[in-house]
């Protein structure tokens, strides 16, 4: 793992440890906290059109809230990965390798039905 | 941004570009995709006790699913950040600086009510 | 509570009881299950435009999946309310009474900023 | 549909209409709003143990927040169903009929692996 993510992971572990919060940071609870923060991020975008969402950072107050929510999501995702011992970037690349095999560019170009990394059921 | 996250961000941009998927990758849609993947991750943990969640990776099949879901969450979070031009690690640290100020260790040690980085309302 | 919701609540209680699933149906777990199902519902809409989402039920396969996911969301919301002893319809009306006071029609007509029942921060 | 849910559905339609909010209430946006509210509900439970979650309504402040969040979730689920023309209770029963077939009581009694209405993959 690279320095930046390792440093963040270590800071999160120390932050929890000095507050005696490890007791609350079970993977189950951390997944719920992650879900809660993604919910707050979702709420920032719920009434925006696609075009408005593309320029969301031009509104200063909204930009502050979006950055804060994305920060919270990254905090809980990184803490969860740290507690479980999972390398976030490696996990992402592994899933992408998988998607690249199942959705080769020439087959899915421009199609929304395959624009997801899970097959439609 | 460090090499690992920058490399992942670039790979995600190329992956979308060669499939002509940028049209679908509006911030609004990417937030929904992130929410969808976090929902799938949540489903893996919903019936587990806190203790079972701590050893979730000892079950091989479950471990594969958890790593895959965490990979998917990291994919969409990193892609969203890339499209918006937000540095994930910097945003996390900024939020932590904020939380460190509002919840100094000596004040909140061991208390669940402050074991979140947002004040209870 | 009316007959239809009361009947569904009772059926859900019996369904769990005859499978000895009450042990898993803590409010915490039921909230996670609800979040998981809402995640799946979100995934059905993530790449659709607003216009495509309005006609989502005209595609038979997608319609089946959307109805199934909405059914799952209603199942876990109703079960959670049943376990907690909360009347879903009464809770919704109480929140609407609250919103009607805070967002009188003449003040917020046509404005997205108030098109949510929580004030922007 | 029974009187209570029909009355709530009608009230929600009138509420949106008199604020000229139909333009924002596309199914896509309503699904996001639902996800946002479920996120807030999740946040109320994230640090609680299973036992604490079972008595969550005994704490007056927390009880008010939980009822309010459940009210919000019911509002957006009912509004989404109304806009799509889906009967919530019928959809829930249809899914339960399905689950009853796939998970007969005698086969799954007491087992967490089948304590979900979707098969583990």
């Amino acid at each position: 793992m690279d320095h930046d993510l390792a440093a963040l992971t270590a800071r999160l572990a120390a932050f929890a440890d000095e507050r005696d919060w490890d007791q609350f940071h079970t993977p189950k609870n951390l997944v719920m906290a992650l879900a809660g923060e993604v919910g707050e991020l979702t709420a920032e975008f719920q009434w925006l059109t696609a075009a408005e969402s593309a320029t969301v950072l031009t509104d200063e107050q909204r930009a502050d809230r979006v950055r804060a929510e994305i920060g919270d999501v990254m905090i809980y995702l990184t803490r969860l990965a740290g507690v479980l011992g999972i390398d976030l970037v490696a996990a992402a690349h592994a899933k992408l390798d998988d998607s690249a095999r199942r959705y080769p560019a020439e087959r899915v170009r421009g199609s929304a039905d395959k624009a997801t990394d899970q097959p439609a059921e």
Side-chain angles (χ1 to χ4, degrees), chain A:
Chain A
M1 201 186 339
D2 63 280
H3 287 185
D4 269 6
L5 266 178
L8 177 61
T9 301
R11 188 183 180 193
L12 288 168
F15 195 91
D17 181 64
E18 65 200 15
R19 287 162 183 72
D20 195 26
W21 283 354
D22 286 311
Q23 54 182 312
F24 305 117
H25 285 195
T26 60
K28 188 178 174 87
N29 290 0
L30 290 170
V31 167
M32 286 191 92
L34 173 63
E37 297 299 343
V38 170
E40 294 204 19
L41 178 64
T42 300
E44 283 303 324
F45 286 84
Q46 66 196 37
W47 306 125
L48 303 186
T49 62
E52 286 167 345
S53 82
T55 58
V56 72
L57 299 184
T58 59
D59 175 317
E60 218 182 297
Q61 282 191 329
R62 200 181 278 282
D64 284 350
R65 290 196 307 267
V66 168
R67 281 182 213 279
E69 294 307 337
I70 283 179
D72 280 333
V73 171
M74 186 60 176
I75 280 171
Y76 284 117
L77 180 62
T78 305
R79 178 61 177 153
L80 171 68
V83 166
L84 287 176
I86 285 175
D87 181 325
L88 284 175
V89 174
H93 279 299
K95 205 55 174 45
L96 266 176
D97 291 342
D98 206 54
S99 296
R101 260 191 314 268
R102 291 187 297 154
Y103 304 115
E106 59 278 6
R107 184 157 64 84
V108 305
R109 192 185 309 281
S111 168
D113 289 336
K114 301 298 179 302
T116 172
D117 61 349
Q118 281 136 357
E121 273 135 331

